[in-house]
Amino acid sequence: MKHTGSIILIFIYAVMVIILLWRVWHLWKRISSARKTPALSHKVSPIYTSGARVFFSRPIAGVLHTVLVVAMIIMSTYSIIQACGVRNHIWDITAGICAVAAIIAAIIFIMRRCWIRPARFSTLTPAMAADAYIILFLEIISGATLIASQYDIYGFHTAHYMTLVLFAIYITYSKHLHIITAWIYRYINRGRGAYDTERVDGVCMMMDMMEGKTTVTDVSCGTMGSNHGSELSRLDTLGVYSCSQCGRCEELCPPHIVGESFSPMETNIRIKKAIEKNTPFYPCAMDDDFISRCISCGACVAACPIGINPMKVLWEIKRYAYLEKGHMPSSYHTASQSTQNSRYPLPTYLDRK
Ligand code: SF4
Ligand code: SF4
C-alpha cells in the first residue's frame, strides 16, 4: 500500500515538473519570437543600476518584499542541495531561519492587507488581490513544510518539494514573475532613455514612400508599428512580463489622475494578456479611445522602479493604428504636421502645447 502511494506521489511530482518545464518553454517562446531589440548606438556602462531608491520609498513593504524574496531563494536553493544528498548543519540553520522569516513576513503582509488596508489595496482588482494572497499562502506553506521536513515528520519532505514546484508553476502565470524577469529587464534596458525611439528613420522613409516622396523601396524596418507579440521588440515584451503592477506609474499618469479610464499599468496588463492569448493588440486588447489617452509625457517611465516603458509600447500600437491602418483621431492631425516638421511620427506633449 505504501509502495502504491509512493508511485502515485512520484507520478504527481513528475507531472508537476513537466508542467513547469512547459511553462518555462512557453514563456521563452513568447519572448524569443518577438522582434530583435535594436542595439544601442552608444556604449553603456556594464554596471547594473538598481531601482532600490524607488523600491524603498515605501520602506515597510520594501523590507517585507525583500525578506520574502530572499527567504524563498535560500529555501529553494537549500531544498535543491538537499535533494542532491548534501547535508550541512549551517545550511540547515540558515534555511530554518529563512523559513521562519518568510512565514512571519507573509503573515504581517496578510494582516496588513486585512486590517490596516493601505490605500493602494482599495484599487486592486479581485484577481490582483487573489494573486497576492495565493503567493503569500504558498510562501507560508513552503516555510512550514521546510521546518516540518527538518524534523523528519513523515510526508513533509514530499509536501515541501511539491509546494516548491507548485510555487514555481504558479509564478509563471502571476505578476510575481517580475521577481525573475525584472532583474534581466533592468540590466538589458540600461543606457536606454524614455524617449529612445526605435525604427523612426525607417517609419519616416515608409511614410515618404506612401506619399510618393522617395523612389527608395528597400526599407528594412518591415512594419511601422506593432500589433502582435511577435512585432514588439524582445525588450518591450520582457518589460511587459516584468511589470510588478505596483501602480507607481498610474499615480503620476496625467490622464489617469484626472479620472480617465486609462493607465500605463493597465496597458501592460492588457498587452500581457494579448501576448499570452496570441491575439492582436488593436482593437482587441485596446481600442482607439484607450490608446489616444496617452500624452507621451514619460512620467510612467520615470516613476517605474524597474524602468519599464509603457509609453513606448503605446507608440508602437499607435503607429500601427494611425499610420498603418489610418485610424488616426481627427484631433491628431497635428501628428502629420509634426512628422513633416521634425521627422517624428507622433505628436509629443510639447508639439501639442
Ligand atoms: S507617457 Fe502616457 S502612459 Fe505614461 S504617464 Fe504619460 S500619459 Fe501616462
Ligand atoms: S510599469 Fe512599473 S511602475 Fe507601472 S505598475 Fe508596472 S512595475 Fe509598477
Side-chain angles (χ1 to χ4, degrees):
M1 192 65 189
K2 196 175 169 186
H3 188 64
T4 314
S6 300
I7 291 174
I8 293 171
L9 279 178
I10 290 170
F11 177 75
I12 295 172
Y13 191 66
V15 170
M16 287 171 75
V17 170
I18 290 169
I19 294 172
L20 174 61
L21 293 175
W22 175 77
R23 278 299 296 168
V24 172
W25 178 82
H26 170 83
L27 289 172
W28 172 253
K29 281 281 286 177
R30 286 281 176 264
I31 294 170
S32 63
S33 63
R35 178 170 50 80
K36 218 173 160 208
T37 310
L40 283 174
S41 53
H42 59 274
K43 273 198 159 186
V44 290
S45 154
I47 308 267
Y48 163 77
T49 55
S50 80
R53 186 182 54 80
V54 188
F55 186 74
F56 283 104
S57 61
R58 291 171 190 167
I60 296 175
V63 169
L64 290 174
H65 274 107
T66 307
V67 169
L68 288 173
V69 172
V70 172
M72 201 63 202
I73 292 170
I74 293 178
M75 285 195 294
S76 310
T77 312
Y78 167 77
S79 303
I80 292 168
I81 291 173
Q82 233 195 0
C84 298
V86 180
R87 292 300 298 253
N88 177 304
H89 198 54
I90 295 172
W91 259 112
D92 286 347
I93 295 172
T94 312
I97 292 171
C98 286
V100 173
I103 293 170
I104 293 172
I107 290 173
I108 294 174
F109 252 132
I110 292 171
M111 288 169 65
R112 196 165 160 256
R113 286 175 182 218
C114 291
W115 287 292
I116 301 176
R117 293 189 166 273
R120 159 95 184 114
F121 298 142
S122 62
T123 64
L124 298 184
T125 63
M128 287 160 82
D131 179 47
Y133 282 121
I134 290 171
I135 286 287
L136 290 171
F137 281 120
L138 283 172
E139 284 259 5
I140 292 173
I141 296 169
S142 301
T145 50
L146 185 140
I147 293 167
S149 70
Q150 284 190 331
Y151 285 98
D152 283 329
I153 300 176
Y154 177 72
F156 276 93
H157 279 287
T158 314
H160 178 60
Y161 283 107
M162 282 198 176
T163 311
L164 287 183
V165 179
L166 190 64
F167 188 96
I169 293 172
Y170 182 72
I171 219 168
T172 64
Y173 290 97
S174 155
K175 68 163 191 165
H176 293 88
L177 185 64
H178 77 269
I179 295 167
I180 301 161
T181 52
W183 300 96
I184 306 168
Y185 176 83
R186 256 193 95 82
Y187 184 78
I188 300 174
N189 194 39
R190 73 199 193 286
R192 290 172 204 268
Y195 288 94
D196 281 357
T197 48
E198 285 176 10
R199 306 184 292 163
V200 173
D201 287 343
V203 171
C204 291
M205 192 171 284
M206 284 180 96
M207 291 186 71
D208 285 348
M209 274 167 53
M210 284 159 59
E211 291 173 5
K213 291 181 182 170
T214 177
T215 51
V216 177
T217 53
D218 178 23
V219 181
S220 57
C221 76
T223 55
M224 289 199 268
S226 303
N227 194 36
H228 199 271
S230 60
E231 292 166 0
L232 272 187
S233 72
R234 287 176 194 166
L235 184 65
D236 288 336
T237 309
L238 186 63
V240 168
Y241 278 100
S242 303
C243 177
S244 65
Q245 294 172 16
C246 66
R248 286 181 172 88
C249 53
E250 58 182 27
E251 283 172 7
L252 292 184
C253 174
H256 184 79
I257 292 170
V258 297
E260 290 181 6
S261 177
F262 166 85
S263 92
M265 184 176 84
E266 181 63 22
T267 302
N268 281 337
I269 292 171
R270 292 189 188 196
I271 294 289
K272 185 176 166 188
K273 272 190 195 156
I275 293 174
E276 283 288 305
K277 289 186 194 159
N278 215 1
T279 53
F281 302 151
Y282 171 89
C284 309
M286 45 189 71
D287 57 12
D288 288 310
D289 185 60
F290 189 90
I291 59 175
S292 64
R293 303 273 170 190
C294 175
I295 56 169
S296 301
C297 67
C300 51
V301 192
C304 180
I306 303 164
I308 297 167
N309 196 335
M311 174 177 73
K312 193 162 144 247
V313 174
L314 284 161
W315 286 344
E316 288 286 336
I317 301 168
K318 282 178 180 181
R319 279 183 191 167
Y320 172 82
Y322 299 167
L323 305 182
E324 288 189 34
K325 288 286 161 191
H327 294 172
M328 191 180 291
S330 52
S331 59
Y332 267 40
H333 283 310
T334 46
S336 58
Q337 196 61 51
S338 173
T339 308
Q340 300 281 335
N341 296 339
S342 64
R343 293 182 65 76
Y344 183 73
L346 289 173
T348 64
Y349 181 64
L350 288 177
D351 285 337
R352 290 202 200 179
K353 283 193 90 178

